[in-house]
């Protein structure tokens, strides 16, 4: 494992959209990961989100479990609820739940379908709901600006995603994450988040600066062995953006949805991910510019909702 590559830095305030789109294209082909700076979300907003997130995760487990993830995929997931690396096998003692990730999380869905969301009580966390709703709105608008640059980078109209209805009722969600610092003997060898690629179009991630995130930036194929893990560093104020599997499918693997993981380093770590997933009815099929007779589509067309439902089913089964 190397000490870390420097990933491309995309400046969202640049007026030269064509050049920015070309840089995004290069980053998505080469690494599937890049940083986004000058996106317009102030440091104060991130600070508030992290403060409120920490307050929620410090509540007693029984309080958090009252908001357990519902059928609409909103709410709390406790430690060991999830396995991202479905290739990992049980090793040894079942009571140690070897493959389950050492993290807890909370999902908040689109404001447009707010009735499906779950919220901590106003008495215990009065600023929580407003903070998260307003962050969802802000990050969604950055994500849409990025998606329009991604469309440009693929020689599509910059309103491609609007035109296909991707944002009509998007499944976009904010996910608060907490990786606990205290590890038990049983947690030896476990990951905060085991190796996975994200499922949707793109993910916009911010962390509290505690290290642990790694990505297979130099492996062009997910099943390459041995896997080479690079540290992905925190850059103050920047989003870490990565390509998800749906965008990989749309681009016939031209853009890479790169494997990544979070090490459990025995230190509390907080991060906030935003998954930009399209309207469930949106058909994801190979773009014309990404296939040819010699390079036919590698995946059949699929409705985004069907694809995401199946991925989540496996993750939480
Ligand atoms: O917490 C992190 O740094 C990464 C989280 C992540 O990869 C995910 O939730 O999909
Ligand atoms: Fe991820």
């Amino acid at each position: 494992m190397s000490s870390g590559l420097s990933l491309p830095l995309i400046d969202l305030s640049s007026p030269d959209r064509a050049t920015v789109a070309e840089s995004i294209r290069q980053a998505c082909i080469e690494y599937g990961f890049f940083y986004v700076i000058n996106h317009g979300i102030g440091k104060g907003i991130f600070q508030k989100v992290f403060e409120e997130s920490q307050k929620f995760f410090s509540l007693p487990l029984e309080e958090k479990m009252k908001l357990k993830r519902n059928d609409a995929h909103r709410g709390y997931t406790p430690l060991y609820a999830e396995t991202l690396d479905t290739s990992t096998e049980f090793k040894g003692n079942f009571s140690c739940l070897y493959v389950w990730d050492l993290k807890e999380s909370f999902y908040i869905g689109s404001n447009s379908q707010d009735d499906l969301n779950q919220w901590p009580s106003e008495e215990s966390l009065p600023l929580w709901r407003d903070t998260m709703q307003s962050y969802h709105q802000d990050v969604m608008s950055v994500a849409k600006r990025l998606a329009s640059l991604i469309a440009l980078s693929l020689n599509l109209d910059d309103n491609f995603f609007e035109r296909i209805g991707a944002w009509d009722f998007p499944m976009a969600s904010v996910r608060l994450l907490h990786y606990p610092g205290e590890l038990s003997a049983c947690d030896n060898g476990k990951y905060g988040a085991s190796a996975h690629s994200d499922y949707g179009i793109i993910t916009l991630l911010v962390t509290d600066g505690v290290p642990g995130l790694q990505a297979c930036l130099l492996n062009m194929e997910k099943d390459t062995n041995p896997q080479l893990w690079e540290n992905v560093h925190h850059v103050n104020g920047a989003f870490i953006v990565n390509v998800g599997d749906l965008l990989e499918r749309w681009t016939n693997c031209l853009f890479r949805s790169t494997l990544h993981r979070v090490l459990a380093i025995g230190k509390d770590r907080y991060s906030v991910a935003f998954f930009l997933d399209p309207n469930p009815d949106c058909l994801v099929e190979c773009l014309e510019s990404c296939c040819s007779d010699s390079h036919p589509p590698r995946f059949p067309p699929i409705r985004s909702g069907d694809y995401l439902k199946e991925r989540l089913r496996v993750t939480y089964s």
Side-chain angles (χ1 to χ4, degrees):
M1 184 195 62
S2 90
S3 59
L5 275 170
S6 28
L7 290 169
L9 220 59
I10 303 296
D11 182 349
L12 213 51
S13 69
S14 164
D16 184 356
R17 281 170 64 77
T19 304
V20 175
E22 185 49 36
S23 309
I24 290 179
R25 180 182 171 94
Q26 281 312 317
C28 292
I29 292 174
E30 216 166 321
Y31 302 118
F33 264 82
F34 54 93
Y35 296 108
V36 169
I37 55 167
N38 295 329
H39 41 67
I41 302 187
K43 284 203 175 119
I45 296 181
F46 290 126
Q47 202 177 328
K48 267 175 36 188
V49 172
F50 276 92
E51 269 171 30
E52 294 300 316
S53 168
Q54 285 191 20
K55 285 184 203 161
F56 174 78
F57 290 120
S58 327
L59 293 175
L61 182 61
E62 69 208 62
E63 283 304 306
K64 295 186 280 191
M65 287 305 276
K66 287 181 189 160
L67 302 174
K68 196 161 180 268
R69 190 177 71 100
N70 61 18
D71 290 345
H73 193 54
R74 321 280 175 98
Y76 176 66
T77 67
L79 290 180
Y80 314 118
E82 179 178 304
T83 178
L84 289 168
D85 182 356
T86 45
S87 69
T88 319
E89 284 169 29
F90 272 110
K91 296 196 178 99
N93 188 342
F94 255 84
S95 65
C96 278
L97 297 166
Y98 187 87
V99 294
W100 304 96
D101 289 346
L102 261 175
K103 63 164 177 287
E104 50 181 348
S105 82
F106 195 100
Y107 286 99
I108 302 146
S110 291
N111 297 341
S112 60
Q113 295 158 325
D114 193 39
D115 49 326
L116 303 172
N117 276 321
Q118 308 198 71
W119 305 108
S121 74
E122 269 191 43
E123 295 84 72
S124 64
L125 298 173
L127 302 178
W128 215 83
R129 183 172 179 163
D130 277 357
T131 306
M132 298 310 165
Q133 283 183 322
S134 123
Y135 182 67
H136 196 294
Q137 198 169 317
D138 291 347
V139 69
M140 180 77 190
S141 108
V142 174
K144 282 188 189 170
R145 282 164 66 202
L146 267 173
S148 115
L149 287 159
I150 285 172
L152 273 185
S153 85
L154 290 162
N155 303 317
L156 301 163
D157 297 338
D158 64 355
N159 68 350
F160 168 78
F161 289 105
E162 275 88 357
R163 207 163 33 74
I164 62 168
W167 312 149
D168 290 353
F169 294 100
M171 289 172 68
S173 43
V174 166
R175 186 186 198 191
L176 311 173
L177 291 142
H178 172 223
Y179 304 87
E182 259 176 55
L183 308 179
S184 72
C186 258
D187 295 331
N188 239 337
K190 285 199 184 101
Y191 289 96
S194 41
H196 67 284
S197 53
D198 292 346
Y199 312 155
I201 303 179
I202 45 171
T203 304
L204 284 76
L205 178 79
V206 273
T207 80
D208 61 0
V210 175
L213 178 63
Q214 298 187 323
C216 277
L217 298 172
L218 299 175
N219 291 131
M220 292 310 281
E221 297 290 339
K222 291 193 185 64
D223 49 12
T224 306
N225 250 317
Q227 292 168 327
L228 288 175
W229 292 98
E230 307 285 333
N231 294 320
V232 178
H233 299 295
H234 166 85
V235 170
N236 251 340
F239 280 112
I240 298 167
V241 176
N242 61 289
V243 171
D245 297 330
L246 287 180
L247 187 55
E248 186 178 76
R249 289 176 80 105
W250 251 310
T251 61
N252 210 18
C253 297
L254 176 70
F255 286 9
R256 299 171 50 197
S257 74
T258 307
L259 280 182
H260 53 285
R261 68 183 183 186
V262 178
L263 303 179
I265 59 164
K267 208 169 166 198
D268 268 304
R269 180 176 186 273
Y270 293 85
S271 65
V272 181
F274 177 76
F275 301 112
L276 180 65
D277 301 343
N279 183 335
D281 286 342
C282 190
L283 191 67
V284 179
E285 60 182 333
C286 179
L287 296 167
E288 259 174 47
S289 62
C290 296
C291 59
S292 61
D293 287 346
S294 59
H295 189 50
R298 289 171 69 163
F299 311 100
I302 193 163
R303 299 236 168 252
S304 143
D306 295 339
Y307 180 78
L308 294 168
K309 212 158 111 192
E310 177 55 17
R311 292 296 299 271
L312 289 170
R313 190 194 62 73
V314 171
T315 299
Y316 289 100
S317 60

